[in-house]
């Protein structure tokens, strides 16, 4: 009898477990699907974001150019014939470009026609001629076929980003200009080439002349200042708090405050920078020094927290081993703990720098939104930085700035990805070895 | 430094030694003499304060937050807890080997050379080489690692790592070596090697070893001290303690009735 009940109860247990098993499997399946769905969703958004940016921006890396046979007319460039540099420098090169275009497209053009003609090319064309003459005055009197950059309007139409039908409303180009474009195309005198200007130029009101180099250099200077300030300060703070400071109410308070600072919105740091660095210390407005200092404040908490985590991760057994041999506290830190924590600290620093590279709001607060054409030569020169440049272009009305904005975003993302990769590689390379 | 150690004189002596961790008292009124040139084993159930006592001798308790030591502890007659005494100097005289082998993540050579370097014990590279080789030799490790001195210390096996740690301690030429359960992380073969090594080192160093293995205490030590709940219950010649203990608590522990 007892044997029977035992057997039946064993069977019952097996059945109950089996019934629950199916429910458990179902729950696991649901959970897996949920996870998969959220991954697909976020990946989708990422693809969408990158897709739009790339689709809108890749043409920004191309420049439309027109082949024009120009004459370096001595009558226009140097009527006196004595090759005085000031004369060569200030000669009416735009007229030469205009003449060359007229000769090719509309031999007996009136004033209005000629104005339309010169609106086809960028003023960079005349500049290109001026530079050729300055470099080698012997070109005067000769002729040359040059690929001159098109104006932004022609550029937009040729790239298909502005309507091209003759007679359409809101056309960027007049019907006559559209006709010239067709003619240039027929003879192969128009092309799209790699946009060197975009990577070497500073900002400009003329979209076809605007480049990111000024902003890249500005960002570089800013980050250099940030790194120089925040890395030594952050490491020293982390080491002191983690290894030397007594544990009492004061150090607890400091720790809480550092953690809070890491969560403070960056605009607030911008206001602080405005009040302290500009109004009290009178650092040059819109300069990488001021920007870098503000970014250093933003990075500091991150670097300190990452640094302390890296120091904490060094096993106490290493400290004990060194102490047992008679190493002083400073020697323990300098010889053993810090070298072992350094990769973690560097990783934290790179991630902090990457964040600083993308910061915009605090820099707007300290006036880094000025329109600056020149490439900065030192951290004291006024300059833009990449994210602010993007912000400025995104707010510009010209259609041609749309692709520039997206192209600049791509460059910024590329830098960010490179920095994050460096951080990951560093972490991989120095994976814990104890 | 270690030319001649008169047997039997007391190298370390504790009188009325108390240790508190915060409010908790870990050692009560310990009176214990540790003779020079012998191996003294500290035994007792886990948590009874053996490691705490050991850490008093080289003041490693200084690194523990909230640890407070009162009473007197002398090394060669001078107070270890004297304010004038420099901890760095003390630890150069009293080396330590830990429970878990903890070589630095540096080369084998640098592991051994670290102590002599920070204390300036070698005048030139040749002398440093000699110290390193000697220490490895004494730790019985030289033959195994001679051809790979530049490899990381952490690439050795557990037993080799522990002998490397012993070599590292020896390299500073200490007078006393403290060992806190040096074999508890090792396999029997590695344990046998380390025990053999301890026996050889006895001629030149005063050794204090904490062990949870009674067999080990019996094999390597000449004197044994039995701790229980923070108190020193009994101390005497190892043979005597194991064959004819005076205290019933000791008897109970060594016969395995608790532990
Ligand atoms: N760092 C510490 N902080 C607080 N209490 C400790 C600390 N180290 C040891 N203790 C306590 O002191 C007592 C003795 O510990 P320990 O000396 O490590 O014992 P044993 O080595 O004999 O196992 C134990 O009760 C332990 O909980
Ligand atoms: Mg212990």
């Amino acid at each position: 009898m007892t044997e029977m009940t035992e057997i039946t109860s064993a069977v019952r247990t097996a059945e109950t477990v089996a019934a629950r098993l199916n429910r458990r499997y179902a729950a696991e399946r649901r959970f897996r699907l949920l996870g998969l769905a959220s991954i697909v969703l976020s990946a989708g958004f990422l693809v969408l974001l990158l897709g739009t940016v790339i689709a809108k921006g890749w043409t920004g890396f191309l420049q439309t150019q027109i082949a024009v046979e120009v004459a370096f007319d001595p009558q226009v460039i140097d009527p006196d014939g004595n090759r005085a540099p000031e004369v060569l420098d200030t000669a009416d090169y735009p007229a030469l470009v205009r003449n060359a275009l007229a000769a090719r497209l509309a031999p007996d053009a009136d004033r209005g026609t000629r104005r339309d003609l010169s609106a086809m090319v960028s003023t960079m064309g005349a500049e290109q001629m001026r530079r050729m003459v300055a470099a080698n005055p012997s070109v005067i009197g000769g002729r040359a076929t040059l690929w001159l950059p098109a104006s932004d309007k022609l550029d937009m139409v040729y790239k298909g980003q502005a309507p091209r039908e003759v007679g359409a409303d809101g056309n960027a180009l007049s019907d006559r200009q559209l006709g010239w474009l067709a003619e240039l195309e027929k003879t192969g005198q128009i092309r799209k080439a790699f946009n060197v200007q975009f990577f070497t130029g500073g900002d400009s009101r003329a979209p076809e002349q605007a480049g990111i180099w000024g902003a890249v250099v500005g960002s570089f200077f800013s980050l250099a200042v940030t790194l120089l300030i925040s890395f030594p300060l952050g490491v020293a703070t982390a080491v002191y708090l983690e290894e030397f400071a007594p544990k009492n109410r004061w150090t607890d308070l400091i720790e809480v405050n550092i953690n809070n600072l890491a969560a403070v919105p960056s605009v607030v740091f911008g206001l602080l920078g405005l009040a302290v660095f500009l109004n009290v210390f009178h650092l040059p407005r819109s300069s990488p020094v001021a920007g870098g200092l503000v970014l250093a404040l933003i990075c500091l908490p991150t670097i300190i927290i990452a640094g302390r985590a890296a120091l904490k991760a060094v096993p106490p057994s290493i400290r004990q081993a060194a102490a047992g041999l008679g190493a002083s506290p400073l020697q323990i830190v300098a010889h053993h703990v810090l070298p072992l924590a350094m990769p973690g600290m560097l990783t934290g620093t790179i991630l902090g720098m990457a964040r600083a590279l993308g910061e915009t709001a605090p820099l707007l607060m300290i006036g880094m939104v000025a329109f600056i054409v020149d490439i900065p030569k030192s951290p004291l020169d006024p300059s833009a930085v990449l994210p602010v440049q993007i912000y400025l272009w995104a707010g510009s009305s010209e259609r041609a700035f749309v692709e520039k904005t997206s192209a600049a975003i791509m460059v910024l993302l590329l830098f960010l990805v490179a920095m994050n990769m460096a951080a990951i590689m560093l972490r991989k390379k120095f994976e814990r070895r104890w | 430094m270690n030319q001649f150690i008169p047997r039997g004189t007391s190298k370390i002596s504790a009188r009325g030694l108390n240790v508190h961790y915060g409010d908790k008292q870990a050692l009560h009124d310990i009176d214990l003499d540790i003779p020079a040139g012998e191996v003294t084993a500290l035994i007792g159930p886990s948590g009874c304060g053996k490691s705490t006592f050991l850490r008093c001798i080289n003041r490693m308790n200084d690194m523990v937050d909230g640890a407070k030591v009162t009473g007197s502890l002398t090394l060669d007659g001078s107070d270890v807890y004297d304010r004038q005494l420099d901890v760095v100097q003390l630890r150069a005289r009293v080396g330590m080997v830990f429970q878990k082998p903890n070589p630095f993540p540096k080369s084998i050579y640098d592991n051994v050379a670290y102590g002599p370097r920070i204390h300036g014990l070698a005048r030139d590279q040749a002398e440093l080489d000699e110290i390193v080789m000697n220490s490895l030799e004494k730790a019985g490790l030289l033959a195994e690692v001679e051809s790979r001195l530049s490899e990381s210390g952490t690439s050795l096996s557990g037993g080799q790592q522990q002998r490397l740690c012993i070599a590292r301690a020896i390299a500073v030429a200490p007078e006393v070596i403290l060992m806190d359960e040096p074999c508890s992380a090792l396999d029997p073969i590695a344990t046998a090697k380390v025990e053999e090594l301890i026996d050889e080192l006895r001629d030149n160093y005063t050794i204090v070893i904490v062990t949870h293995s009674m067999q080990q205490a019996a094999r390597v030590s000449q004197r044994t001290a039995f701790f229980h709940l923070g108190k020193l219950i009994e101390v005497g010649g190892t043979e005597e303690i194991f064959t004819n203990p005076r205290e019933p608590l000791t008897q109970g522990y060594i016969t395995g009735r608790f532990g």
Side-chain angles (χ1 to χ4, degrees):
Chain A
M1 189 62 216
T2 46
E3 206 170 283
M4 275 302 286
T5 46
E6 253 167 41
I7 289 171
T8 40
S9 84
V11 168
R12 273 247 308 285
T13 310
E15 274 170 359
T16 334
V17 169
R20 292 183 66 96
L21 205 60
N22 284 333
R23 266 200 289 160
R24 208 176 75 213
Y25 284 164
E28 275 168 15
R29 220 169 17 245
R30 270 199 305 278
F31 185 73
R32 244 199 328 269
L33 277 178
L34 211 65
L36 209 65
S38 60
I39 288 176
V40 167
L41 196 69
S42 37
F45 276 121
L46 190 68
V47 168
L48 193 70
L49 173 78
L50 287 180
T52 4
V53 169
I54 293 173
K56 268 192 189 162
W58 72 274
T59 49
F61 299 129
L62 297 177
Q63 182 185 52
T64 305
Q65 299 174 340
I66 305 173
V68 183
E69 194 190 1
V70 292
F72 290 89
D73 186 354
Q75 286 305 310
V76 176
I77 300 174
D78 190 18
D80 306 334
N82 47 19
R83 301 292 189 258
E86 322 80 73
V87 177
L88 298 187
D89 205 43
T90 53
D92 191 3
Y93 295 105
L96 292 178
V97 174
R98 214 155 45 226
N99 291 343
L101 277 172
R104 165 70 184 82
L105 295 169
D108 35 31
D110 54 23
R111 278 179 78 86
T113 318
R114 289 171 73 90
R115 197 176 311 119
D116 269 6
L117 272 174
S118 49
M120 302 264 291
V121 286
S122 166
T123 51
M124 276 190 294
E127 175 61 20
Q128 193 175 328
M129 288 183 71
R130 190 189 62 75
R131 274 204 302 267
M132 284 175 75
V133 170
N136 179 15
S138 69
V139 297
I140 297 172
R143 303 175 73 82
T145 301
L146 303 178
W147 283 102
L148 300 181
S151 70
D152 62 308
K153 295 207 176 66
L154 177 58
D155 186 48
M156 285 294 98
V157 173
Y158 186 58
K159 283 175 179 168
Q161 292 175 27
R164 196 171 167 170
E165 307 82 55
V166 175
D169 271 349
N171 256 4
L173 296 180
S174 69
D175 294 350
R176 194 159 48 177
Q177 287 170 321
L178 286 173
W180 289 329
L181 168 59
E183 185 157 348
L184 288 171
E185 261 182 318
K186 214 162 26 196
T187 52
Q189 281 172 292
I190 188 163
R191 69 171 186 190
K192 278 180 268 189
F194 179 69
N195 193 348
V196 178
Q197 177 67 19
F198 181 72
F199 290 98
T200 57
D203 197 6
S204 171
R205 296 277 186 229
E208 82 278 3
Q209 301 186 29
I212 52 164
W213 187 240
V216 169
V217 173
S219 273
F220 174 79
F221 280 142
S222 299
L223 285 193
V225 171
T226 306
L227 186 66
L228 235 56
I229 305 279
S230 62
F231 183 65
L233 262 182
V235 170
T237 311
V239 168
Y240 178 75
L241 285 178
E242 197 59 39
E243 302 289 328
F244 296 102
K247 302 271 172 288
N248 57 28
R249 265 186 305 151
W250 292 110
T251 44
D252 282 350
L253 193 73
I254 291 173
E255 174 156 9
V256 169
N257 273 308
I258 288 173
N259 290 339
N260 282 339
L261 277 181
V264 167
S266 51
V267 189
V268 179
F269 284 101
L271 270 177
L272 178 76
L274 178 64
V276 177
F277 300 134
L278 296 191
N279 295 344
V280 177
F281 292 117
H282 299 292
L283 289 178
R285 187 169 280 274
S286 193
S287 67
V289 178
L293 282 171
V294 170
L295 294 176
L297 290 182
I298 295 171
C299 284
L300 251 182
T302 321
I303 294 181
I304 294 173
I305 291 169
R308 295 189 65 171
L311 289 168
K312 269 206 190 86
V314 176
S317 66
I318 300 283
R319 291 185 182 82
Q320 284 169 1
L325 286 170
S328 69
L330 190 63
Q331 285 173 327
I332 297 174
V333 170
H335 297 165
H336 301 283
V337 180
L338 201 52
L340 291 173
M342 203 35 93
M345 291 181 149
L346 287 176
T347 309
T349 306
I350 294 177
L351 294 179
M353 290 290 123
R355 182 184 165 196
L357 176 62
E359 278 296 352
T360 321
L363 301 180
L364 301 184
M365 298 304 299
I366 58 158
M368 271 191 121
V369 265
F371 169 69
I372 288 144
V373 177
D374 294 326
I375 313 288
K377 293 194 177 53
S378 82
L380 290 168
D381 294 339
S383 77
V385 290
L386 270 173
V388 173
Q389 188 68 75
I390 290 167
Y391 170 81
L392 281 172
W393 284 349
S396 297
S397 52
E398 282 93 340
R399 193 201 308 262
F401 274 122
V402 173
E403 63 169 29
K404 303 272 179 236
T405 308
S406 291
I409 289 174
M410 278 189 258
V411 173
L412 178 63
L413 285 179
L414 216 64
F415 278 115
L416 287 176
V417 168
M419 288 171 87
N420 284 322
M421 293 277 277
I424 290 170
M425 266 154 60
L426 205 64
R427 198 154 35 195
K428 275 251 162 64
K429 180 143 188 264
F430 292 95
E431 222 122 63
R432 290 209 222 162
R433 297 155 300 179
W434 47 75
Chain B
M1 223 175 274
N2 305 308
Q3 314 88 347
F4 174 68
I5 302 171
R7 287 273 149 86
T9 53
S10 161
K11 182 81 182 169
I12 298 158
S13 55
R15 289 289 174 273
L17 189 74
N18 289 291
V19 178
H20 294 259
Y21 291 113
D23 302 331
K24 191 170 173 290
Q25 185 159 8
L27 284 183
H28 300 261
D29 256 334
I30 305 294
D31 293 334
L32 178 62
D33 287 312
I34 292 172
E38 287 187 3
V39 178
T40 302
L42 309 182
I43 60 170
S46 136
C48 68
K50 309 176 297 282
S51 300
T52 301
F53 182 77
L54 204 66
R55 284 199 301 263
C56 287
I57 302 173
N58 68 346
R59 286 183 57 173
M60 283 297 261
N61 276 330
D62 290 11
M63 291 172 76
V64 178
D65 282 323
K68 199 171 100 242
V69 180
T70 55
S72 111
L73 186 83
T74 57
L75 175 68
D76 283 340
S78 54
D79 188 2
V80 166
Y81 283 86
D82 188 346
R83 279 177 191 285
Q84 304 295 315
L85 180 125
D86 184 62
V87 180
V88 166
Q89 215 177 351
L90 172 71
R91 290 184 190 152
R93 293 174 64 194
V94 182
M96 190 161 196
V97 176
F98 298 83
Q99 186 165 353
K100 211 173 133 252
N102 55 355
F104 300 127
K106 297 174 187 278
S107 73
I108 293 170
Y109 182 96
D110 286 338
N111 261 281
V112 183
Y114 183 68
R117 274 194 186 126
I118 57 171
H119 295 297
L121 298 183
R123 265 162 317 188
D124 51 28
Q125 187 60 40
E127 207 172 337
L128 188 62
D129 287 349
E130 199 187 315
I131 293 176
V132 171
M133 292 304 167
N134 262 332
S135 309
L136 286 171
E137 171 78 62
K138 278 194 212 159
L141 195 60
L142 189 60
E144 289 157 71
V145 301
E146 197 162 17
S147 59
R148 46 181 186 142
L149 287 176
S150 56
E151 275 174 40
S152 173
T154 51
S155 67
L156 297 172
S157 75
Q160 289 174 322
Q161 287 190 13
Q162 195 61 301
R163 278 180 287 146
L164 178 62
C165 292
I166 294 174
R168 183 174 67 184
I170 294 172
V172 187
E175 299 155 42
V176 180
I177 302 177
L178 310 175
M179 300 184 172
D180 193 348
E181 302 192 24
C183 301
S184 65
L186 306 185
D187 61 64
I189 295 171
T191 299
K193 278 201 175 143
V194 171
E195 285 179 5
E196 208 175 295
L197 174 59
I198 293 171
D199 213 44
E200 282 163 23
L201 294 175
R202 163 159 74 95
D203 295 334
N204 296 306
Y205 307 90
T206 302
I207 294 174
V208 187
I209 179 172
V210 170
T211 174
H212 60 244
S213 149
M214 254 117 16
Q215 292 85 342
Q216 183 167 67
R219 280 193 300 262
V220 301
S221 74
Q222 286 76 55
R223 277 169 71 81
T224 297
F226 172 63
F227 284 72
H228 184 63
L229 294 179
K231 296 195 173 88
L232 176 65
I233 304 299
E234 184 171 357
V235 59
T238 298
E239 275 222 25
E240 196 185 313
I241 293 277
F242 280 99
T243 51
N244 187 18
R246 269 174 283 126
E247 301 289 332
L249 263 175
T250 319
Q251 169 109 42
Y253 182 68
I254 59 173
T255 52
R257 260 186 278 134
F258 70 96

